[in-house]
Amino acid sequence: MEYLPVEVIGNILSRLGAARDVVIASATCRKWREACRKHLHTLSFSSDDWPVYRDLTTSRLEILITQTIFQTIGLQGLYILMDDVDEFSASTVIAWLMYTRETLSELIYNVRTTPNVNILDICGRQRLETLVLAHNSITGVEPYYQRFPCLKSLSLSYVSISALDLNLLLTACPNIERLTLINPEIAMSDAQVTVELNSPTLKTIYVEAISLDKFMLEADSLETLHLKDCALEVFELVGKGSLKHFKIDDVSVIHLDIGETVENLEIMDVSNFTIIWSKFYQMISKSSKLRRLRLWDVVFDDEDEIIDLETIALCFPLLSRLSLSYDLRDGLLHYGLQGSSYLENVIALELGWTVVNDLFTDWVSCLLIRCPNLKKLVIHGVVSEAKTHEECQMFAKFTSSIVQLMRKYMHVEVHFEYE
C-alpha cells in the first residue's frame, strides 16, 4: 500500500462515500492524510450513514461538517443529506458552498436552514453538472444571472417553486438533459394550476406525485417520459418524434396527448391506469418500432372493451416483450383473441391475474400459440392469506393445468411470481 501514488489513494477514499469513513481511513498515516486533503473528490454527509448525526446538537454537527470540508481541496462531489435533523444556520451552509462551488460538478443538497439559502445565487455560473435539491424553496429565478451553463441533471424533491420560476430555471440550464420532479409545491397566482415547460435539450423527465390542472411540455429532444402517481386534468407533450420510452403508472388524467411524437417509440409501459382502448390504440398505432409493450392492471373505461391481440400483432411487428394483466371476462376473452396473426418476434411474455379461474389458463394457452418463438414465460399472481376450500381446489387445478400445458412447450423457460 505504501507504494500507491497519493492520487490513487485519493480515489480510493472518494469511493468510501460516507465522510465518517473517510476521516477514519485518513488517519492511517501521513500519506493518507495528504490524499484526503489534496486528492479527495467526493464527500458525503448523510444522517442515514451514521445515526449519531441525529443525536448531536446542531452546532456540534455544523462544526464537524465544517472542519471536514475545509480540510479538503478541490471537491467535485458534495452530498449533504440531513433528514430528521434540526435546521442549520444559513451562514454556515453558505460557507460550505462558497468554499467548494468553484470545483463542484455534483451537489446533492437536503438541508433545512434558517433563513432559506438561495442555492441558485451561490452555485450559478459555475461548473455544476448535477444538482439535486430537496426540502428547499426557490423564488425569483433570474435565468441570465443565475445561469448553469454545464448543468445536465436537475432533481427537485419537495421543493416549493412557482410555475414561472420552474420554466425560468430550465431556461437557465441551456444544456439540461434530465429533469426529476417529485412532489413539488407549485405556487400559483391564479386559481388554475398550470405548468408550461420548454427545453430543446431535455432528453429524460420523471414526474411523481404532482397535482395540476394542466401540464404542457415542449421538448424537441425528449426520449424518456415517466409519469407516476399524478393527478392531471390535461397533459400535453409537444416534440419532434424523438420519444422512445413512455411509462405511466397510477396516473389520473382526463386528456392525455403525446401528439405526433410516437413514431420512434420503442417501450410503452402502462400500469394502474384507466384506458379507452380505441383512443389508446389511436395514440400509439404509428409506433411501428415498438419493442416492449406492458399493460398492467389496466382498467377499461368501457366494460365491453378488451385488448385486441390481432391489432397488436399487426401494428407492432418488432415487438419482442409483451406484458399483460387485466380483468378477464367470459365472452369478451374470445373477442380479444380473434385473428390469425402471430407475434413472431415475441420472446418474453409476462401474464398476470388477480383471481384464479379457468379463463386465465385458456388465455395463457391461446397466447402461447400466438407466440411461436417464445423463450420465457413469467406468470404473476396474487395469493391471499386466507383461502377457502373452493379457492384451494381452484388454485390446485390451475397449477395442474399450467404444468400440463407447459409440457407442450418444453423449450420455454417458465417462472411464477406471487405476491
Side-chain angles (χ1 to χ4, degrees), residues 219-393:
D220 293 342
S221 304
L222 194 69
E223 296 180 358
T224 302
L225 170 61
H226 186 176
L227 304 176
K228 181 180 180 181
D229 192 22
C230 297
L232 307 168
E233 288 192 12
V234 177
F235 179 86
E236 293 183 10
L237 171 64
V238 179
K240 292 187 176 179
S242 58
L243 191 65
K244 293 182 179 180
H245 187 175
F246 179 39
K247 184 173 182 177
I248 184 167
D249 180 11
D250 196 14
V251 172
S252 172
V253 58
I254 297 175
H255 177 72
L256 176 65
D257 182 9
I258 55 176
E260 302 297 324
T261 62
V262 296
E263 292 182 358
N264 292 307
L265 199 63
E266 296 179 3
I267 301 174
M268 168 69 79
D269 188 333
V270 180
S271 57
N272 301 296
F273 189 65
T274 300
I275 66 173
I276 301 175
W277 176 250
S278 58
K279 289 185 177 180
F280 180 77
Y281 162 70
Q282 184 179 4
M283 183 174 66
I284 67 169
S285 60
K286 296 180 181 179
S287 308
S288 58
K289 298 179 182 179
L290 198 71
R291 297 181 181 275
R292 295 187 181 187
L293 176 61
R294 183 174 185 266
L295 303 176
W296 208 258
D297 291 336
V298 295
V299 177
F300 296 99
D301 189 63
D302 187 343
E303 291 185 357
D304 293 331
E305 283 189 317
I306 199 166
I307 296 171
D308 184 0
L309 283 178
E310 181 72 7
T311 302
I312 291 176
L314 294 174
C315 290
F316 313 126
L318 300 180
L319 196 68
S320 61
R321 295 179 181 273
L322 178 61
S323 303
L324 300 174
S325 174
Y326 60 97
D327 185 20
L328 297 171
R329 295 187 300 277
D330 197 6
L332 293 177
L333 179 63
H334 176 69
Y335 168 74
L337 294 171
Q338 282 183 341
S340 57
S341 299
Y342 289 97
L343 296 159
E344 297 279 357
N345 291 311
V346 172
I347 58 173
L349 187 63
E350 282 189 274
L351 303 174
W353 47 264
T354 54
V355 179
V356 181
N357 55 35
D358 294 332
L359 286 178
F360 184 78
T361 307
D362 295 339
W363 190 49
V364 174
S365 176
C366 292
L367 280 168
L368 286 172
I369 295 172
R370 300 288 284 273
C371 302
N373 297 310
L374 192 68
K375 294 181 179 180
K376 183 176 181 179
L377 172 65
V378 181
I379 295 178
H380 296 260
V382 177
V383 180
S384 61
E385 295 181 1
K387 287 286 185 185
T388 64
H389 178 67
E390 290 75 14
E391 288 175 330
C392 290
Q393 283 187 319

Side-chain angles (χ1 to χ4, degrees), residues 3-169:
Y3 296 108
L4 281 178
V6 68
E7 294 86 358
V8 174
I9 298 172
N11 280 330
I12 293 172
L13 294 176
S14 296
R15 293 178 183 274
L16 290 179
R20 177 175 177 269
D21 295 337
V22 173
V23 171
I24 293 173
S26 67
T28 302
C29 62
R30 183 182 301 173
K31 188 175 183 180
W32 281 53
R33 284 194 294 274
E34 180 187 355
C36 182
R37 186 173 64 255
K38 295 183 178 180
H39 300 285
L40 187 72
H41 55 75
T42 302
L43 202 53
S44 172
F45 302 90
S46 173
S47 52
D48 292 332
D49 291 339
W50 194 33
V52 177
Y53 280 137
R54 298 188 179 95
D55 299 330
L56 298 175
T57 63
T58 304
S59 58
R60 179 59 181 157
L61 189 53
E62 288 177 357
I63 292 171
L64 282 175
I65 296 176
T66 302
Q67 288 177 336
T68 307
I69 291 177
F70 278 43
Q71 287 176 3
T72 65
I73 299 174
L75 275 183
Q76 298 173 23
L78 179 60
Y79 314 147
I80 309 176
L81 305 166
M82 290 295 156
D83 284 322
D84 304 323
V85 175
D86 291 336
E87 293 181 336
F88 285 6
S89 167
S91 59
T92 303
V93 175
I94 290 173
W96 302 339
L97 298 176
M98 292 292 287
Y99 181 76
T100 58
R101 66 176 183 173
E102 292 185 2
T103 58
L104 279 185
S105 61
E106 183 175 12
L107 174 62
I108 300 179
Y109 178 89
N110 179 7
V111 182
R112 295 175 175 85
T113 61
T114 303
N116 182 60
V117 173
N118 192 327
I119 298 293
L120 306 187
D121 273 348
I122 300 172
C123 297
R125 307 176 309 283
Q126 302 296 331
R127 300 166 52 186
L128 209 58
E129 296 180 8
T130 300
L131 177 59
V132 179
L133 293 181
H135 298 101
N136 207 270
S137 62
I138 298 174
T139 57
V141 177
E142 299 178 14
Y144 299 105
Y145 173 69
Q146 298 165 329
R147 197 163 181 80
F148 293 84
C150 302
L151 197 71
K152 293 185 177 180
S153 178
L154 174 64
S155 175
L156 304 177
S157 301
Y158 305 93
V159 169
S160 175
I161 187 171
S162 71
L164 176 61
D165 281 335
L166 181 57
N167 194 38
L168 289 175
L169 182 54

Side-chain angles (χ1 to χ4, degrees), residues 166-211:
L166 181 57
N167 194 38
L168 289 175
L169 182 54
L170 282 188
T171 304
C173 308
N175 294 305
I176 190 169
E177 296 181 359
R178 181 180 181 86
L179 175 64
T180 299
L181 298 174
I182 299 177
N183 199 10
E185 183 182 336
I186 305 294
M188 296 299 300
S189 57
D190 53 20
Q192 189 179 45
V193 184
T194 301
V195 169
E196 297 182 14
L197 302 181
N198 189 330
S199 173
T201 60
L202 193 64
K203 292 183 178 180
T204 300
I205 183 169
Y206 173 81
V207 181
E208 179 181 344
I210 191 171
S211 180

